[in-house]
Amino acid sequence: MVRLKSPEELVLMRRAGKVVADVLDRVRESVRPGVTTLELDTLAEDYIRSCGGIPLFKGYCPSSDMTPFPGTICASVNEEVVHGIPGPRVLEEGDILSVDVGVSLDGYCGDAACTYPVGNISGKRQALLDVTETSLNKAIEAAIRGHTLGDIGYAVESYVKPLGYGIVRDYTGHGIGKKMHEAPQVPNFGHPRRGVSLQRGMTIAIEPMIMSGREDVRVGENGWTVFTADGSDAAHFERSIAILDDGPEILTPWTSRMAH
Ligand code: MF3
Ligand code: CO
């Protein structure tokens, strides 16, 4: 279980998280029809290195039967859920693009994601984005001392399921600290008051991945990219947070564009 050991550690987590947030806000400014996902990746890597940070995903290899992830960002378009590999794909008007990025700065990690519209998008896609971001906000509101991981998952599940959306269950949020992935896993479904209880100083990444169709995903031929099984759209919003005495603090303060 990852917990802050000192006020200094909170400062370092904030610094790493701020670089992550700034990368996402910069990428968003460049998302438009005609741009390739590799151009966005280059922009992200250059910015992270200019801050003295290290891209956490580049070279990441969770098991020996996988190839190292080649990008700084994950760039997942439309029916791609997560772990899209940046490349020559040209974004088109009406696409949605999920960008996930992790940074290590001075030994501490930040991780966040956002799904962006490319130009004008359909009402159905905009609704998917709004529901997914709102589900993240509800999960963060539930992340208070004395609550449990089940309360966080339930906040997502009880909001999105009645609206008819699917939750990705094979991938979860996670503790984050000196390493990108620490205990505990943070699922986007659960039961109130069940599971690990949330304690002061815990730092976690909450990351709902929501589909407009059926609840099933598959991994593509490159061994990385996760697709919705039925070809429906997916969205992904993530923030790293710290659970403090007076509530959750957002460590990756990327700018929301959701209409309130
Ligand atoms: N962002 C993912 C997570 O939050 C990790 C992606 S690792 C990569 O767990 F190598 F695939 F990029
Ligand atoms: Co994450």
Side-chain angles (χ1 to χ4, degrees):
M1 200 68 49
V2 53
R3 287 180 71 177
L4 298 165
K5 288 175 198 66
S6 65
E8 291 72 32
E9 285 201 316
L10 177 58
V11 170
L12 290 161
M13 287 294 287
R14 280 184 190 135
R15 280 195 197 136
K18 179 75 166 86
V19 175
V20 169
D22 289 346
V23 175
L24 286 174
D25 284 353
R26 278 162 189 260
V27 167
R28 184 223 306 274
E29 295 303 314
S30 299
V31 170
R32 67 178 77 89
V35 166
T36 69
T37 55
L38 187 61
E39 289 172 306
L40 300 173
D41 189 75
T42 304
L43 179 162
E45 179 170 8
D46 291 350
Y47 180 73
I48 291 166
R49 298 205 190 275
S50 78
C51 298
I54 300 165
L56 276 169
F57 299 174
K58 204 166 191 139
Y60 179 67
C61 195
S63 71
S64 56
D65 57 350
M66 292 186 76
T67 55
F69 190 79
T72 287
I73 62 171
C74 298
S76 312
V77 183
N78 299 341
E79 76 281 9
E80 298 173 354
V81 182
V82 280
H83 303 168
I85 296 177
R89 179 168 183 165
V90 178
L91 297 177
E92 292 177 18
E93 178 97 22
D95 286 342
I96 52 174
L97 172 71
S98 297
V99 177
D100 190 348
V101 66
V103 171
S104 166
L105 183 73
D106 298 329
Y108 289 81
C109 298
D111 182 9
C114 215
T115 303
Y116 302 120
V118 182
N120 288 312
I121 62 172
S122 69
K124 189 175 177 215
R125 284 184 165 164
Q126 187 61 54
L128 172 66
L129 269 49
D130 290 346
V131 165
T132 308
E133 185 174 348
T134 300
S135 76
L136 170 62
N137 291 340
K138 289 183 182 290
I140 293 172
E141 282 167 26
I144 57 179
R145 284 174 64 191
H147 280 195
T148 68
L149 286 175
D151 291 315
I152 293 179
Y154 182 73
V156 175
E157 186 174 14
S158 63
Y159 173 62
V160 306
K161 290 305 289 180
L163 296 173
Y165 292 90
I167 297 170
V168 176
R169 292 170 189 263
D170 298 352
Y171 300 86
T172 67
H174 48 91
I176 184 165
K178 290 187 180 181
K179 287 188 295 185
M180 159 165 69
H181 291 143
E182 306 225 25
Q185 288 194 357
V186 182
N188 296 302
F189 54 90
H191 298 283
R193 296 179 298 283
R194 298 249 195 100
V196 169
S197 69
L198 304 174
Q199 294 175 33
R200 180 203 312 162
M202 279 179 68
T203 45
I204 57 175
I206 304 178
E207 49 179 318
M209 287 152 262
I210 305 298
M211 301 173 273
S212 60
R214 191 159 60 80
E215 259 193 14
D216 209 2
V217 297
R218 64 177 177 87
V219 178
E221 312 229 301
N222 67 22
W224 274 106
T225 310
V226 178
F227 294 82
T228 60
D230 62 3
S232 65
D233 296 320
H236 181 202
F237 286 83
E238 174 180 19
R239 292 190 192 270
S240 303
I241 66 160
I243 296 167
L244 303 178
D245 279 331
D246 46 2
E249 176 176 315
I250 291 169
L251 298 168
T252 53
W254 48 258
T255 310
S256 172
R257 288 286 173 86
M258 192 166 51
H260 290 287

